[in-house]
Amino acid sequence: MILIVGSTGFLGNDICRRLIEGGKSVRAFVRRTSDPSKIERLKTMGAEIVYGDLRDRASLDAACAGVDAVISTATTTASRQPGDSIEATDRDGQLSLVAAAKKASVSRFIYVSYSRNIDSNGEPSPLTAAKRNVEDAVCASGMAFTILRPSCFMEVWLSPALGFDFPNGKATLYGSGQSKVSWISLGDVAEFAVQSLDNPAAQNAMLELGGPEALSPLAAVKIFEDVSGKQFELSDVPVAALQAQQAAATDSLQQSFSALMLSIAAGDSIEMRDVLQQFPIQLTSVKGYAMRVSKP
């Protein structure tokens, strides 16, 4: 039995689907306040549903009982609910999950973190600090572990939600837009998580993950222009403005989003040659993503 924490998110849901299609038994950890349609989708896939909350240790103990492996993708940045915070959910909640898994004698723990390069001005953001705290706990737990450290998800950062409004031919650039980023697809990270269960190369490993090539945001814009036939209207947020935004932020989530934007402005290039020799995954390119989402 494999427990997926974060199963109603895009990444967690895709991991559930891939595991079930591969004949694995999946237990999906969901909140009672989660979108009912997402829970129903998991049930339709064939997942066993268990209700709980990362902030409720008793529910974590129950969810981990009889489980062979845990895959955690949960983060408050994707679907913030009342009482959520980086400290309560991404740090303390995940640390409780690690402790519950260890107590239940779970043999393997796979944790989705962030690229080592995702930082701002050399100082960790609250979210990055929380991720590193959880990484340390996973590594020290005694369970076999895999830490996945993906770069920026193209479906998130190259989407209208964060200013890359390709349907309307507009894009907001953070900084100059010239620093290269190894944009990676959510689906590819899901596949790495699935393969990490059985691949010896993932045993007690930290894997830095990026896409097939590092491209600047301006290069990504050019790809979308070529695919869509639209000339993009560009705007930019200077680094100084992002730094001021971070300094003025009133909570850790706002501080962390500013830090993530600063990290894109600085660039996040990851060499994947060695990893791909051990994991037979055909990575999604930005052009492939553009062709998929730009269909009329």
Side-chain angles (χ1 to χ4, degrees):
M1 177 66 72
I2 302 166
L3 174 67
I4 310 300
V5 179
S7 58
T8 57
F10 291 114
L11 178 57
N13 186 268
D14 196 20
I15 291 172
C16 289
R17 178 187 63 80
R18 291 168 188 260
L19 287 171
I20 291 169
E21 289 179 354
K24 303 287 189 180
S25 297
V26 169
R27 179 179 294 170
F29 187 76
V30 302
R31 297 182 182 188
R32 292 194 179 275
T33 54
S34 295
D35 185 339
S37 66
K38 294 181 179 180
I39 296 174
E40 187 59 35
R41 189 177 307 126
L42 288 164
K43 290 179 180 178
T44 301
M45 285 182 193
E48 173 190 326
I49 304 298
V50 59
Y51 291 94
D53 194 300
L54 279 169
R55 297 166 297 168
D56 177 3
R57 174 57 191 268
S59 71
L60 295 173
D61 288 333
C64 288
V67 164
D68 302 305
V70 172
I71 302 177
S72 182
T73 69
T75 175
T76 190
T77 60
S79 58
R80 194 175 190 182
Q81 297 190 26
D84 270 344
S85 69
I86 287 173
E87 293 80 7
T89 304
D90 291 78
R91 186 189 66 200
D92 297 343
Q94 291 281 8
L95 291 174
S96 290
L97 174 62
V98 174
K102 180 178 179 179
K103 179 183 177 182
S105 298
V106 171
S107 61
R108 189 164 190 81
F109 200 106
I110 297 171
Y111 176 61
V112 180
S113 185
Y114 279 168
S115 161
R116 66 186 175 194
N117 298 325
I118 295 184
D119 212 334
S120 65
N121 302 326
E123 295 295 330
S125 71
L127 180 59
T128 307
K131 292 284 189 182
R132 302 308 178 224
N133 286 343
V134 177
E135 288 181 4
D136 290 344
V138 172
C139 294
S141 68
M143 294 180 285
F145 67 84
T146 306
I147 308 295
L148 301 179
R149 288 176 163 180
S151 185
C152 301
F153 293 133
M154 59 182 70
E155 291 89 351
V156 175
W157 290 96
L158 301 181
S159 77
L162 291 178
F164 200 91
D165 188 9
F166 55 81
N168 294 306
K170 298 179 181 180
T172 299
L173 305 177
Y174 305 115
S176 68
Q178 296 178 340
S179 298
K180 292 183 177 182
V181 176
S182 292
W183 316 98
I184 188 168
S185 173
L186 283 159
D188 293 342
V189 177
E191 186 60 24
F192 273 108
V194 169
Q195 291 196 20
S196 291
L197 288 166
D198 301 312
N199 190 327
Q203 181 86 358
N204 297 337
M206 288 193 181
L207 302 177
E208 302 289 337
L209 303 180
E213 57 185 339
L215 296 169
S216 69
L218 283 171
V221 167
K222 180 62 166 59
I223 288 171
F224 270 85
E225 287 180 333
D226 291 344
V227 168
S228 67
K230 298 177 183 177
Q231 183 74 31
F232 274 46
E233 176 185 336
L234 301 181
S235 59
D236 68 279
V237 183
V239 168
L242 292 171
Q243 291 170 334
Q245 178 181 313
Q246 185 182 30
T250 57
D251 68 24
S252 56
L253 188 60
Q254 292 174 338
Q255 292 170 4
S256 296
F257 268 122
S258 297
L260 290 171
M261 293 171 188
L262 281 165
S263 73
I264 289 178
D268 185 20
S269 181
I270 296 173
E271 173 56 58
M272 288 293 291
R273 185 183 300 111
D274 291 343
V275 173
L276 291 178
Q277 287 178 351
Q278 299 170 316
F279 290 82
I281 294 174
Q282 183 67 44
L283 295 175
T284 303
S285 66
V286 170
K287 182 177 181 180
Y289 165 64
M291 292 176 67
R292 171 161 54 88
V293 299
S294 298
K295 291 179 180 178

